[in-house]
Amino acid sequence: MEIGIFSTEAEASKAAAEIIIEHFAANPGATLGVATGSSPLGIYEVLRAAHAEGRFSLADSKAFALDEYVGIAPDHPEGYRNVLRAQLVGDDKTGLTEEGLHTPNGQNPEPVAAAAEYDASIREAGGIDLQILGIGSDGHIAFNEPGGSLVSRTHHEALAEQTVRDNARFFEGNLDLVPKSALTQGLGTIMEARRVVLTAFGENKKDAIKQLVEGPISAHWPGTILQMHPDATILVDEAAAADLELTDLYRARWEMKH
Ligand code: F6R
């Protein structure tokens, strides 16, 4: 894994966005894996600005979401399809089309079938070229919560209590309003993305980042599977990096390459 440590969230998001912009300049029409939550918002802001400047476009690309809440009303603004629409879809944003945006069908009364369909649709598209990721304070990536399979495919997952508490901020702070399960790409699905770029910010993420980067690979901290990914970049602010031990080494490696 390549680790970048930045003074601010904005700087880390800019670095992540520039990796994506460069990748798409070299591979127009590549397939992008998109995350929701607060971590990628700074990236999306830079991508929209780059689109306005004419140096980035998802017009000919497909984008696949990591996950979607099960049973959330289709018009709920916190439904992940709607969040991603608001961030990315349209010529005034990144050029991504409505048809180009793929999200798991959280409305399907048969979530197991919906999960299998979604996994198949990623394969049919030729896989994900570059996957944007965040990480939960409990170490989940997408909604792969602790204690699950490290090789799972897209599946129906129960959200951990910690995740429900963390996500209540998107639902008026009310735990009862937070959906309790989601369809999520599995860890095996995510590991097939050809490149991954993960961002994490703030003190609340420092345990997850410590484990992700320096802990043993373990289902207890699902993100640790990324240590086995051949092309993973982890971009964090100082607060999220606070417990890392080998920071001098990470900084030296980063400077050598960039
Ligand atoms: C979102 C997702 C989650 C988030 C994680 C961190 O699509 O899959 O894994 O990346 O919960 O959320 P934030 O960024 O809001 O701290």
Side-chain angles (χ1 to χ4, degrees):
M1 284 194 302
E2 182 189 30
I3 321 296
I5 303 171
F6 295 82
S7 312
T8 64
E9 174 171 344
E11 282 173 70
S13 298
K14 173 105 171 64
E18 291 301 335
I19 289 172
I20 297 164
I21 291 164
E22 219 172 274
H23 189 95
F24 276 71
N27 308 277
T31 297
L32 185 64
V34 285
T36 47
S38 50
S39 304
L41 293 178
I43 300 176
Y44 296 151
E45 194 180 332
V46 178
L47 294 182
R48 288 193 300 270
H51 181 257
E53 291 159 10
R55 60 186 193 102
F56 177 72
S57 174
L58 291 177
D60 298 323
S61 289
K62 290 183 172 151
F64 282 88
L66 284 170
D67 36 28
E68 178 60 284
Y69 291 120
V70 165
I72 195 165
D75 58 351
H76 195 297
E78 293 302 333
Y80 285 168
R81 185 167 186 91
N82 293 330
V83 168
L84 290 165
R85 262 190 193 127
Q87 291 292 322
L88 301 173
V89 171
D91 275 341
D92 57 332
K93 300 194 175 90
T94 64
L96 181 67
T97 62
E98 182 69 26
E99 305 71 49
L101 174 62
H102 298 259
T103 51
N105 182 0
Q107 303 302 314
N108 189 326
E110 296 192 33
V112 174
E117 261 167 40
Y118 192 65
D119 218 80
S121 67
I122 294 174
R123 274 209 198 94
E124 275 157 30
I128 289 167
D129 293 305
L130 192 155
Q131 176 67 57
I132 299 171
L133 291 173
I135 188 165
S137 63
D138 67 355
H140 70 233
I141 54 173
F143 275 134
N144 293 279
E145 296 288 18
S149 160
L150 290 175
V151 293
S152 57
R153 310 303 310 179
T154 301
H155 61 285
H156 187 198
E157 176 77 285
L159 303 196
E161 272 179 43
Q162 178 69 45
T163 303
V164 172
R165 277 197 298 276
D166 286 347
N167 285 6
R169 70 192 195 282
F170 298 116
F171 294 87
E172 304 163 30
N174 185 343
L175 299 185
D176 294 337
L177 297 180
V178 184
K180 303 300 183 295
S181 74
L183 291 173
T184 179
Q185 283 191 35
L187 294 174
T189 319
I190 293 169
M191 286 293 283
E192 285 171 5
R194 289 179 265 282
R195 182 166 192 185
V196 304
V197 176
L198 182 149
T199 57
F201 310 113
E203 216 237 327
N204 191 35
K205 299 289 173 73
K206 74 177 185 336
D207 295 346
I209 289 299
K210 166 72 182 162
Q211 295 298 327
L212 169 70
V213 177
E214 295 176 345
I217 296 172
S218 158
H220 195 82
W221 293 92
T224 56
I225 192 63
L226 293 178
Q227 292 177 24
M228 297 296 288
H229 195 285
D231 197 351
T233 301
I234 313 296
L235 302 170
V236 295
D237 65 2
E238 301 279 357
D243 282 355
L244 293 177
E245 283 169 34
L246 304 178
T247 45
D248 289 350
L249 200 48
Y250 307 142
R251 288 185 206 278
R253 283 195 196 124
W254 183 265
E255 268 163 37
M256 203 173 73
K257 269 193 76 181
H258 297 273

Short mmCIF file of all heavy atoms in Angstrom, two decimals, residues 34-41 44 65-69 80 84 131-145 163 166-167 169-170 184 190 199-201 204-205, ligand 1:
data_model
loop_
_atom_site.label_atom_id
_atom_site.label_comp_id
_atom_site.label_asym_id
_atom_site.label_seq_id
_atom_site.Cartn_x
_atom_site.Cartn_y
_atom_site.Cartn_z
N VAL A 34 -17.58 4.19 -7.11
CA VAL A 34 -17.82 5.40 -6.32
C VAL A 34 -18.35 5.08 -4.92
O VAL A 34 -19.17 4.18 -4.75
CB VAL A 34 -18.79 6.37 -7.06
CG1 VAL A 34 -18.06 7.05 -8.20
CG2 VAL A 34 -20.03 5.66 -7.58
N ALA A 35 -17.84 5.83 -3.96
CA ALA A 35 -18.26 5.67 -2.57
C ALA A 35 -19.20 6.82 -2.21
O ALA A 35 -19.21 7.86 -2.86
CB ALA A 35 -17.04 5.70 -1.66
N THR A 36 -19.96 6.62 -1.14
CA THR A 36 -20.77 7.71 -0.58
C THR A 36 -20.24 8.04 0.81
O THR A 36 -19.10 7.71 1.13
CB THR A 36 -22.26 7.31 -0.56
OG1 THR A 36 -22.34 6.00 -0.02
CG2 THR A 36 -22.85 7.32 -1.95
N GLY A 37 -21.04 8.67 1.65
CA GLY A 37 -20.53 9.12 2.94
C GLY A 37 -19.80 10.44 2.78
O GLY A 37 -19.77 11.02 1.68
N SER A 38 -19.17 10.91 3.85
CA SER A 38 -18.55 12.25 3.78
C SER A 38 -17.14 12.21 3.19
O SER A 38 -16.70 13.20 2.60
CB SER A 38 -18.53 12.89 5.17
OG SER A 38 -17.99 11.99 6.10
N SER A 39 -16.44 11.08 3.30
CA SER A 39 -15.02 11.07 2.89
C SER A 39 -14.78 11.47 1.44
O SER A 39 -13.83 12.20 1.17
CB SER A 39 -14.40 9.70 3.17
OG SER A 39 -14.56 9.36 4.52
N PRO A 40 -15.59 11.01 0.46
CA PRO A 40 -15.26 11.35 -0.93
C PRO A 40 -15.77 12.72 -1.39
O PRO A 40 -15.54 13.10 -2.54
CB PRO A 40 -15.94 10.24 -1.74
CG PRO A 40 -17.06 9.78 -0.90
CD PRO A 40 -16.71 10.05 0.53
N LEU A 41 -16.45 13.47 -0.51
CA LEU A 41 -17.09 14.71 -0.99
C LEU A 41 -16.08 15.71 -1.55
O LEU A 41 -16.35 16.38 -2.56
CB LEU A 41 -17.93 15.35 0.13
CG LEU A 41 -19.16 14.51 0.55
CD1 LEU A 41 -19.89 15.19 1.70
CD2 LEU A 41 -20.09 14.26 -0.63
N TYR A 44 -15.09 14.64 -5.02
CA TYR A 44 -16.11 14.93 -6.03
C TYR A 44 -16.11 16.43 -6.39
O TYR A 44 -16.34 16.79 -7.54
CB TYR A 44 -17.49 14.47 -5.55
CG TYR A 44 -17.58 12.96 -5.36
CD1 TYR A 44 -18.44 12.38 -4.44
CD2 TYR A 44 -16.77 12.11 -6.11
CE1 TYR A 44 -18.50 11.01 -4.27
CE2 TYR A 44 -16.81 10.74 -5.94
CZ TYR A 44 -17.68 10.19 -5.01
OH TYR A 44 -17.73 8.83 -4.84
N ALA A 65 -21.66 2.11 -7.70
CA ALA A 65 -21.64 2.43 -6.27
C ALA A 65 -21.16 1.22 -5.47
O ALA A 65 -21.31 0.08 -5.91
CB ALA A 65 -23.04 2.82 -5.81
N LEU A 66 -20.62 1.50 -4.30
CA LEU A 66 -20.21 0.40 -3.42
C LEU A 66 -21.41 -0.28 -2.79
O LEU A 66 -21.38 -1.48 -2.52
CB LEU A 66 -19.35 0.96 -2.27
CG LEU A 66 -17.93 1.33 -2.59
CD1 LEU A 66 -17.31 2.08 -1.42
CD2 LEU A 66 -17.12 0.05 -2.88
N ASP A 67 -22.45 0.52 -2.51
CA ASP A 67 -23.52 -0.03 -1.68
C ASP A 67 -24.79 0.82 -1.79
O ASP A 67 -24.78 1.91 -2.35
CB ASP A 67 -23.07 -0.14 -0.21
CG ASP A 67 -22.16 1.01 0.23
OD1 ASP A 67 -22.28 2.12 -0.35
OD2 ASP A 67 -21.34 0.81 1.12
N GLU A 68 -25.86 0.28 -1.25
CA GLU A 68 -27.14 1.01 -1.18
C GLU A 68 -27.92 0.46 0.02
O GLU A 68 -27.91 -0.74 0.29
CB GLU A 68 -27.93 0.80 -2.47
CG GLU A 68 -29.32 1.45 -2.51
CD GLU A 68 -29.29 2.98 -2.36
OE1 GLU A 68 -29.10 3.44 -1.20
OE2 GLU A 68 -29.46 3.70 -3.36
N TYR A 69 -28.59 1.36 0.72
CA TYR A 69 -29.43 0.92 1.84
C TYR A 69 -30.59 0.08 1.31
O TYR A 69 -31.15 0.38 0.25
CB TYR A 69 -30.02 2.14 2.55
CG TYR A 69 -29.01 2.97 3.31
CD1 TYR A 69 -28.81 4.31 3.00
CD2 TYR A 69 -28.29 2.43 4.37
CE1 TYR A 69 -27.90 5.08 3.72
CE2 TYR A 69 -27.38 3.20 5.09
CZ TYR A 69 -27.19 4.52 4.75
OH TYR A 69 -26.30 5.28 5.46
N TYR A 80 -28.31 6.13 -1.51
CA TYR A 80 -27.01 6.37 -2.13
C TYR A 80 -27.12 6.70 -3.62
O TYR A 80 -26.30 7.45 -4.15
CB TYR A 80 -26.07 5.19 -1.87
CG TYR A 80 -25.54 5.19 -0.45
CD1 TYR A 80 -24.87 4.09 0.06
CD2 TYR A 80 -25.69 6.30 0.39
CE1 TYR A 80 -24.36 4.10 1.36
CE2 TYR A 80 -25.20 6.31 1.68
CZ TYR A 80 -24.53 5.20 2.16
OH TYR A 80 -24.04 5.21 3.44
N LEU A 84 -25.37 10.09 -5.02
CA LEU A 84 -24.41 10.06 -6.15
C LEU A 84 -24.92 10.87 -7.33
O LEU A 84 -24.14 11.55 -8.00
CB LEU A 84 -24.11 8.61 -6.55
CG LEU A 84 -23.28 7.88 -5.49
CD1 LEU A 84 -23.29 6.37 -5.73
CD2 LEU A 84 -21.83 8.39 -5.46
N GLN A 131 -11.37 2.26 -7.97
CA GLN A 131 -12.40 2.27 -6.94
C GLN A 131 -12.07 3.31 -5.86
O GLN A 131 -11.00 3.25 -5.25
CB GLN A 131 -12.51 0.89 -6.27
CG GLN A 131 -13.48 0.81 -5.12
CD GLN A 131 -14.93 0.99 -5.57
OE1 GLN A 131 -15.42 0.26 -6.42
NE2 GLN A 131 -15.62 1.98 -5.00
N ILE A 132 -12.98 4.23 -5.63
CA ILE A 132 -12.86 5.19 -4.53
C ILE A 132 -13.43 4.52 -3.28
O ILE A 132 -14.52 3.95 -3.33
CB ILE A 132 -13.65 6.48 -4.83
CG1 ILE A 132 -13.12 7.15 -6.09
CG2 ILE A 132 -13.61 7.43 -3.65
CD1 ILE A 132 -14.00 8.32 -6.59
N LEU A 133 -12.71 4.62 -2.16
CA LEU A 133 -13.19 4.02 -0.92
C LEU A 133 -13.09 5.00 0.25
O LEU A 133 -12.18 5.84 0.28
CB LEU A 133 -12.35 2.80 -0.54
CG LEU A 133 -12.43 1.54 -1.38
CD1 LEU A 133 -11.38 0.53 -0.89
CD2 LEU A 133 -13.83 0.92 -1.29
N GLY A 134 -13.99 4.84 1.21
CA GLY A 134 -13.81 5.42 2.54
C GLY A 134 -13.64 4.25 3.49
O GLY A 134 -13.61 3.09 3.06
N ILE A 135 -13.56 4.53 4.78
CA ILE A 135 -13.49 3.44 5.76
C ILE A 135 -14.29 3.84 6.99
O ILE A 135 -14.27 5.01 7.40
CB ILE A 135 -12.02 3.09 6.12
CG1 ILE A 135 -11.95 1.82 6.98
CG2 ILE A 135 -11.29 4.27 6.79
CD1 ILE A 135 -10.55 1.21 7.06
N GLY A 136 -15.05 2.90 7.55
CA GLY A 136 -15.83 3.19 8.75
C GLY A 136 -14.93 3.20 9.98
O GLY A 136 -13.82 2.67 9.97
N SER A 137 -15.41 3.80 11.06
CA SER A 137 -14.60 3.85 12.28
C SER A 137 -14.39 2.44 12.84
O SER A 137 -13.44 2.20 13.59
CB SER A 137 -15.24 4.77 13.32
OG SER A 137 -16.50 4.27 13.71
N ASP A 138 -15.24 1.49 12.46
CA ASP A 138 -15.05 0.10 12.89
C ASP A 138 -14.25 -0.71 11.85
O ASP A 138 -14.16 -1.93 11.95
CB ASP A 138 -16.40 -0.59 13.16
CG ASP A 138 -17.25 -0.77 11.91
OD1 ASP A 138 -16.86 -0.30 10.81
OD2 ASP A 138 -18.33 -1.39 12.02
N GLY A 139 -13.71 -0.03 10.86
CA GLY A 139 -12.86 -0.71 9.88
C GLY A 139 -13.59 -1.25 8.67
O GLY A 139 -12.97 -1.88 7.81
N HIS A 140 -14.91 -1.01 8.56
CA HIS A 140 -15.60 -1.55 7.37
C HIS A 140 -15.19 -0.78 6.12
O HIS A 140 -14.89 0.41 6.19
CB HIS A 140 -17.13 -1.53 7.55
CG HIS A 140 -17.78 -0.19 7.55
ND1 HIS A 140 -18.61 0.24 8.57
CD2 HIS A 140 -17.76 0.84 6.66
CE1 HIS A 140 -19.05 1.45 8.28
NE2 HIS A 140 -18.54 1.84 7.14
N ILE A 141 -15.17 -1.47 5.00
CA ILE A 141 -15.11 -0.81 3.69
C ILE A 141 -16.34 -1.28 2.92
O ILE A 141 -16.77 -2.41 3.08
CB ILE A 141 -13.78 -1.04 2.91
CG1 ILE A 141 -13.45 -2.52 2.75
CG2 ILE A 141 -12.64 -0.30 3.56
CD1 ILE A 141 -12.25 -2.77 1.83
N ALA A 142 -16.90 -0.37 2.09
CA ALA A 142 -18.28 -0.51 1.65
C ALA A 142 -19.07 -0.79 2.93
O ALA A 142 -18.79 -0.17 3.96
CB ALA A 142 -18.42 -1.58 0.58
N PHE A 143 -19.99 -1.75 2.96
CA PHE A 143 -20.63 -2.05 4.25
C PHE A 143 -20.23 -3.45 4.71
O PHE A 143 -21.03 -4.16 5.30
CB PHE A 143 -22.14 -1.87 4.17
CG PHE A 143 -22.58 -0.46 4.40
CD1 PHE A 143 -23.52 0.14 3.57
CD2 PHE A 143 -22.08 0.31 5.46
CE1 PHE A 143 -23.93 1.45 3.77
CE2 PHE A 143 -22.48 1.62 5.67
CZ PHE A 143 -23.41 2.19 4.82
N ASN A 144 -18.99 -3.83 4.45
CA ASN A 144 -18.50 -5.12 4.95
C ASN A 144 -18.09 -4.92 6.40
O ASN A 144 -17.00 -4.40 6.70
CB ASN A 144 -17.31 -5.58 4.12
CG ASN A 144 -17.73 -5.92 2.71
OD1 ASN A 144 -18.24 -7.01 2.45
ND2 ASN A 144 -17.55 -4.97 1.80
N GLU A 145 -18.98 -5.32 7.30
CA GLU A 145 -18.77 -5.09 8.72
C GLU A 145 -17.84 -6.15 9.32
O GLU A 145 -17.61 -7.20 8.71
CB GLU A 145 -20.13 -5.10 9.44
CG GLU A 145 -21.07 -3.96 9.01
CD GLU A 145 -20.64 -2.58 9.53
OE1 GLU A 145 -19.47 -2.39 9.92
OE2 GLU A 145 -21.50 -1.66 9.52
N THR A 163 -21.86 1.63 13.10
CA THR A 163 -22.12 2.26 11.79
C THR A 163 -23.45 3.00 11.82
O THR A 163 -23.56 4.12 11.30
CB THR A 163 -22.12 1.18 10.69
OG1 THR A 163 -20.85 0.51 10.73
CG2 THR A 163 -22.33 1.76 9.31
N ASP A 166 -22.71 6.12 13.66
CA ASP A 166 -21.93 7.05 12.83
C ASP A 166 -22.79 7.70 11.75
O ASP A 166 -22.61 8.86 11.41
CB ASP A 166 -20.76 6.31 12.14
CG ASP A 166 -19.62 5.96 13.10
OD1 ASP A 166 -19.59 6.49 14.22
OD2 ASP A 166 -18.76 5.15 12.71
N ASN A 167 -23.71 6.92 11.17
CA ASN A 167 -24.48 7.43 10.02
C ASN A 167 -25.74 8.19 10.43
O ASN A 167 -26.41 8.79 9.57
CB ASN A 167 -24.85 6.28 9.07
CG ASN A 167 -23.63 5.85 8.25
OD1 ASN A 167 -22.52 6.34 8.49
ND2 ASN A 167 -23.83 4.98 7.30
N ARG A 169 -25.89 10.91 11.65
CA ARG A 169 -25.76 12.34 11.30
C ARG A 169 -26.40 12.66 9.95
O ARG A 169 -26.74 13.81 9.69
CB ARG A 169 -24.29 12.77 11.33
CG ARG A 169 -23.42 12.19 10.23
CD ARG A 169 -21.95 12.45 10.58
NE ARG A 169 -21.05 12.26 9.46
CZ ARG A 169 -20.63 11.08 9.02
NH1 ARG A 169 -21.07 9.95 9.60
NH2 ARG A 169 -19.78 11.00 8.01
N PHE A 170 -26.57 11.66 9.11
CA PHE A 170 -27.25 11.90 7.82
C PHE A 170 -28.77 11.77 7.95
O PHE A 170 -29.50 11.98 6.99
CB PHE A 170 -26.76 10.90 6.76
CG PHE A 170 -25.28 11.02 6.45
CD1 PHE A 170 -24.41 9.97 6.71
CD2 PHE A 170 -24.76 12.17 5.89
CE1 PHE A 170 -23.06 10.06 6.42
CE2 PHE A 170 -23.41 12.29 5.60
CZ PHE A 170 -22.55 11.22 5.87
N THR A 184 -24.23 -4.55 -0.35
CA THR A 184 -22.87 -4.02 -0.46
C THR A 184 -21.99 -4.91 -1.33
O THR A 184 -22.09 -6.14 -1.28
CB THR A 184 -22.22 -3.89 0.94
OG1 THR A 184 -20.88 -3.41 0.80
CG2 THR A 184 -22.17 -5.21 1.71
N ILE A 190 -14.51 -5.98 -4.22
CA ILE A 190 -13.67 -4.76 -4.15
C ILE A 190 -12.22 -5.08 -4.51
O ILE A 190 -11.55 -4.30 -5.20
CB ILE A 190 -13.76 -4.14 -2.74
CG1 ILE A 190 -15.18 -3.61 -2.49
CG2 ILE A 190 -12.72 -3.03 -2.55
CD1 ILE A 190 -15.47 -3.23 -1.06
N THR A 199 -9.69 7.35 1.12
CA THR A 199 -9.40 8.52 1.95
C THR A 199 -10.07 8.37 3.31
O THR A 199 -11.13 7.75 3.44
CB THR A 199 -9.88 9.84 1.29
OG1 THR A 199 -11.28 9.76 1.03
CG2 THR A 199 -9.13 10.15 0.01
N ALA A 200 -9.43 8.95 4.33
CA ALA A 200 -10.01 8.93 5.70
C ALA A 200 -9.52 10.16 6.44
O ALA A 200 -8.34 10.51 6.36
CB ALA A 200 -9.58 7.67 6.43
N PHE A 201 -10.45 10.77 7.17
CA PHE A 201 -10.13 12.02 7.85
C PHE A 201 -10.66 12.03 9.27
O PHE A 201 -11.75 11.53 9.54
CB PHE A 201 -10.75 13.20 7.09
CG PHE A 201 -10.44 13.15 5.62
CD1 PHE A 201 -11.44 12.92 4.68
CD2 PHE A 201 -9.13 13.29 5.18
CE1 PHE A 201 -11.15 12.85 3.34
CE2 PHE A 201 -8.83 13.22 3.82
CZ PHE A 201 -9.84 12.99 2.90
N ASN A 204 -11.72 10.24 14.58
CA ASN A 204 -12.63 9.10 14.66
C ASN A 204 -12.16 7.91 13.80
O ASN A 204 -12.59 6.78 14.01
CB ASN A 204 -14.02 9.58 14.19
CG ASN A 204 -15.12 8.60 14.47
OD1 ASN A 204 -15.09 7.90 15.48
ND2 ASN A 204 -16.08 8.51 13.58
N LYS A 205 -11.25 8.18 12.85
CA LYS A 205 -10.79 7.13 11.93
C LYS A 205 -9.41 6.60 12.32
O LYS A 205 -8.88 5.73 11.63
CB LYS A 205 -10.74 7.66 10.49
CG LYS A 205 -12.09 8.13 9.93
CD LYS A 205 -13.01 6.96 9.66
CE LYS A 205 -14.42 7.37 9.26
NZ LYS A 205 -14.53 7.92 7.94
C1 F6R B 1 -20.10 4.43 1.60
C2 F6R B 1 -19.40 3.30 2.21
C3 F6R B 1 -18.84 3.35 3.59
C4 F6R B 1 -18.19 4.67 3.95
C5 F6R B 1 -17.75 4.63 5.41
C6 F6R B 1 -17.13 5.94 5.85
O1 F6R B 1 -20.49 4.11 0.29
O2 F6R B 1 -19.30 2.31 1.57
O3 F6R B 1 -17.91 2.32 3.74
O4 F6R B 1 -17.09 4.90 3.11
O5 F6R B 1 -18.84 4.34 6.22
O6 F6R B 1 -18.13 6.91 5.85
P1 F6R B 1 -17.75 8.45 5.97
O7 F6R B 1 -16.97 8.79 4.77
O8 F6R B 1 -19.09 9.17 5.99
O9 F6R B 1 -16.99 8.60 7.23
#
